[in-house]
């Protein structure tokens, strides 16, 4: 009877001839289960948005605890009504043990769920600021923008080289209505980078030259140079100067407003891969492994550890920057595909800890629900990619007008038209036939 009451509240009460209480418990249990099933089926997409909002994570935790305590209370109450008489010592021992086990069966998942909610809340509060430069309107969180542009940065540091170098820089331009996405990859060795109007351009009117003669003045040095020279971005605090100038610079190069950035530290990326149990990739050509060429990643499909994945995306031995850029895109694509819900749940706390150490961003908490919704649309579309590497672009003498023209052509190629109710006019120069180069397909 206690076991039956665990599965359907009120069974033991009916057996004990407490019909009103038993029926009331049954109705309450059925309504509760119906509500939970409705939430997890009809509103599954909305749950993803709620999962990145700290206040709703608190509500979820409280709701889980209340349900678990109520369920445990019903189990104990049911047992007290139908337990064997005192004379039946063996029966009492067995049924008491069963009741304790049933209570644990209910409380353990609740404790785990509450723990996940707490860790999620901690990650959200650690990574995302609570203040937004512009108010977020629920009906249109992107403030009427046709596209939102995210700068995705892979940062690396090396022995004997001070500071951080942004060796991987990609702008993801996402259609806010359809989710259609185009990636624009910029090589780290782009020279004579022009800065947007302001103090940075005043210091380098002919293009960025770095700290002569210590550095060559490449695009991947802009981030650290801004951090080391406050006058390049006046009024911006340390830790934010680099992202601010890099966003402005890359936005000016592409002719796009870069709205937000996310930076992944490469060592932290290795921790993320280890936390999810490795990542499976197909290696086309042998890749030298380690700084002293002590190893080799042979061709074939294999699961890489975090350190091996780091070298897969970092190595330039017997190749070049542009081959490496392609491997980095393949690696990120593989990680995204293989980070399925079961993998994430099994390694959630390790992934959360690695995420806090590896990732920084200026995306505000207020936009997280909209970003989750946008990500779901992106998953349903084909992601196009254009990299500004030779022979398309001469990295020593870049043709800035050509880069902007190629960006405009790429964004004019739309796989589907926007709805008539969107109310967003297209630029007259955009034509559906505009070409866009695509990177090699990853396997």
């Amino acid at each position: 009877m206690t076991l039956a009451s665990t599965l359907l509240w009120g069974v033991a009460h009916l057996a004990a001839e407490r019909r009103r209480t038993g029926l009331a418990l049954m109705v309450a249990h059925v309504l509760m289960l119906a509500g939970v099933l409705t939430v997890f089926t009809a509103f599954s997409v909305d749950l993803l948005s709620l999962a990145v909002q700290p206040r709703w994570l608190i509500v979820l935790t409280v709701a889980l605890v209340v349900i678990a305590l109520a369920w445990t209370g019903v189990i104990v109450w049911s047992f007290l009504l139908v337990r064997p008489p005192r004379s039946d010592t063996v029966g009492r021992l067995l049924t008491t043990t069963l009741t304790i086990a049933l209570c644990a069966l209910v409380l353990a998942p609740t404790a785990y769920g509450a723990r996940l909610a707490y860790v999620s809340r901690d990650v959200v509060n650690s990574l995302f600021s609570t203040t937004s430069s512009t108010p977020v309107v629920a009906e249109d969180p992107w403030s009427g923008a046709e596209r939102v542009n995210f700068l995705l940065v892979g940062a690396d540091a090396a022995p004997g080289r001070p500071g951080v170098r942004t060796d991987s820089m990609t702008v993801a331009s996402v259609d806010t209505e359809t989710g259609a996405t185009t990636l624009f990859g910029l090589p780290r060795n782009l020279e004579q980078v022009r800065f947007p109007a302001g103090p940075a351009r005043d210091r380098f009117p002919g293009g960025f030259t770095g700290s002569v003669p210590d550095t060559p003045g490449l695009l991947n040095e802009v981030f650290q140079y801004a951090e080391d020279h406050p006058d390049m971005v006046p009024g911006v605090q340390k830790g934010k100067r680099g992202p601010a100038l890099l966003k402005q610079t890359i936005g000016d190069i592409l002719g796009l407003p870069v709205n937000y950035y996310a930076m992944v530290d490469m060592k932290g990326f290795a921790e993320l891969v280890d936390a999810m149990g490795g990542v499976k990739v197909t290696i086309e050509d042998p890749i030298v492994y380690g700084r002293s060429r002590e190893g080799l990643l042979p061709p074939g499909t294999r699961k890489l550890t975090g350190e091996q994945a780091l070298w897969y995306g970092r190595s330039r031995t017997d190749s070049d920057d542009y081959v490496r850029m392609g491997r980095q895109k393949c690696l990120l694509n593989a990680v995204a595909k293989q980070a399925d819900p079961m993998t994430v749940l099994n390694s959630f706390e390790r992934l959360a800890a690695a995420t806090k150490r590896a990732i920084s961003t200026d995306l505000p908490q207020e936009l997280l629900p909209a970003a989750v919704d946008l990500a779901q649309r992106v998953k349903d579309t084909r992601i196009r990619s254009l990299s500004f590497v030779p022979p398309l672009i001469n990295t020593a003498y870049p043709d800035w007008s050509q880069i902007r023209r190629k960006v405009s052509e790429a964004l004019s190629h739309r796989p589907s038209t926007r709805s008539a109710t969107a109310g967003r006019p297209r630029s007259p120069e955009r034509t559906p036939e505009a070409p866009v180069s695509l990177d090699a397909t990853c396997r």
Side-chain angles (χ1 to χ4, degrees):
M1 288 298 171
T2 303
L3 177 60
S5 294
T6 304
L7 302 175
L8 178 61
W9 297 355
V11 172
H13 289 73
L14 290 178
E17 298 186 353
R18 298 195 178 189
R19 291 183 176 83
R20 287 187 179 181
T21 305
L23 290 174
L25 287 173
M26 282 185 175
V27 171
H29 195 198
V30 170
L31 291 176
M32 182 193 72
L33 293 178
V36 170
L37 287 174
T38 300
V39 167
F40 278 92
T41 53
F43 302 102
S44 56
V45 175
D46 295 327
L47 283 178
L48 291 174
S49 298
L50 295 180
V52 293
Q53 299 181 61
R55 65 179 182 275
W56 282 108
L57 288 171
I58 294 175
V59 171
L60 173 63
T61 302
V62 172
L64 284 174
V65 170
V66 169
I67 291 174
L69 291 178
W71 209 318
T72 304
V74 170
I75 294 172
V76 174
W77 189 6
S78 301
F79 170 69
L80 293 177
L81 288 176
V82 297
R83 61 183 171 179
R86 291 182 181 273
S87 57
D88 188 355
T89 305
V90 176
R92 280 221 169 190
L93 178 61
L94 292 176
T95 52
T96 300
T97 302
L98 172 64
T99 302
I100 293 173
L102 292 173
C103 291
L105 191 63
V106 171
L107 291 175
T110 304
Y112 180 67
R115 174 65 181 171
L116 292 185
Y118 171 80
V119 172
S120 298
R121 180 170 174 269
D122 181 51
V123 170
V124 170
N125 285 330
S126 298
L127 285 183
F128 305 97
S129 65
T130 55
T131 56
S132 176
S133 56
T134 56
V136 177
V137 180
E139 292 76 15
D140 188 3
W142 306 114
S143 303
E146 183 177 307
R147 306 190 73 87
V148 60
N149 304 303
F150 301 91
L151 173 60
L152 311 176
V153 180
D156 202 1
R161 189 180 69 178
V164 172
R165 296 295 183 266
T166 56
D167 284 345
S168 175
M169 292 160 284
T170 301
V171 171
S173 184
V174 186
D175 189 301
T176 55
E177 184 174 322
T178 66
T181 300
T182 302
L183 303 179
F184 298 106
L186 292 165
R188 72 175 190 91
N189 60 339
L190 204 62
E191 298 181 40
Q192 303 181 44
V193 176
R194 64 179 189 180
F195 288 121
R201 182 178 290 184
D202 294 341
R203 174 175 288 201
F204 297 100
F208 181 57
T209 56
S211 301
V212 180
D214 300 324
T215 59
L218 307 179
L219 178 60
N220 71 338
E221 300 169 29
V222 170
F223 182 99
Q224 190 61 43
Y225 194 91
E227 286 294 325
D228 295 338
H229 298 81
D231 55 314
M232 293 280 284
V233 193
V236 180
Q237 67 188 53
K238 185 174 179 60
K240 295 184 178 180
R241 292 193 288 264
L245 184 58
L246 189 61
K247 283 168 57 179
Q248 294 170 13
T249 302
I250 290 179
D252 190 64
I253 291 172
L254 300 178
L256 295 174
V258 176
N259 307 99
Y260 307 100
Y261 88 97
M263 185 168 72
V264 181
D265 173 75
M266 296 308 288
K267 289 184 178 179
F269 179 77
E271 292 183 36
L272 288 170
V273 171
D274 282 332
M276 61 182 284
V279 59
K280 185 180 291 185
V281 297
T282 297
I283 300 174
E284 301 291 345
D285 301 299
I287 298 173
V288 175
Y289 176 81
R291 295 187 184 279
S292 304
R293 304 175 67 103
E294 66 267 20
L296 196 70
L297 297 176
T301 300
R302 63 192 72 258
K303 179 168 282 192
L304 305 181
T305 65
E307 187 178 3
Q308 290 172 335
L310 184 60
W311 279 103
Y312 172 82
R314 161 191 271 170
S315 177
R316 283 181 293 158
T317 305
D318 300 331
S319 62
D320 54 33
D321 276 325
Y322 317 120
V323 172
R324 179 172 73 168
M325 285 174 66
R327 289 202 308 267
Q328 288 170 352
K329 285 191 174 72
C330 290
L331 182 60
L332 292 174
N333 186 53
V335 170
K337 286 184 177 180
Q338 293 169 42
D340 57 88
M342 190 58 65
T343 298
V344 172
L345 279 176
N346 288 339
S347 311
F348 190 80
E349 294 204 35
R350 287 185 64 198
L351 283 170
T355 297
K356 288 199 298 181
R357 288 192 294 268
I359 297 177
S360 59
T361 181
D362 62 351
L363 186 70
Q365 285 187 20
E366 295 86 346
L367 272 177
L368 284 179
V372 169
D373 179 62
L374 189 61
Q376 296 304 303
R377 299 183 206 175
V378 172
K379 287 176 64 176
D380 296 330
T381 64
R382 181 190 178 196
I383 297 178
R384 304 172 64 81
S385 183
L386 172 61
S387 292
F388 294 105
V389 299
L392 178 63
I393 296 295
N394 184 333
T395 57
Y397 302 98
D399 184 336
W400 307 115
S401 298
Q402 183 187 16
I403 291 176
R404 285 193 168 204
R405 185 171 64 253
K406 289 294 183 182
V407 169
S408 179
E409 290 175 357
L411 295 184
S412 69
H413 185 97
R414 296 191 174 189
S416 60
T417 58
R418 301 172 69 86
S419 66
T421 59
R424 299 171 183 167
R426 294 184 182 181
S427 301
E429 72 274 15
R430 293 183 174 178
T431 58
E433 292 77 18
V436 58
S437 302
L438 297 177
D439 288 331
T441 302
C442 301
R443 290 193 292 162

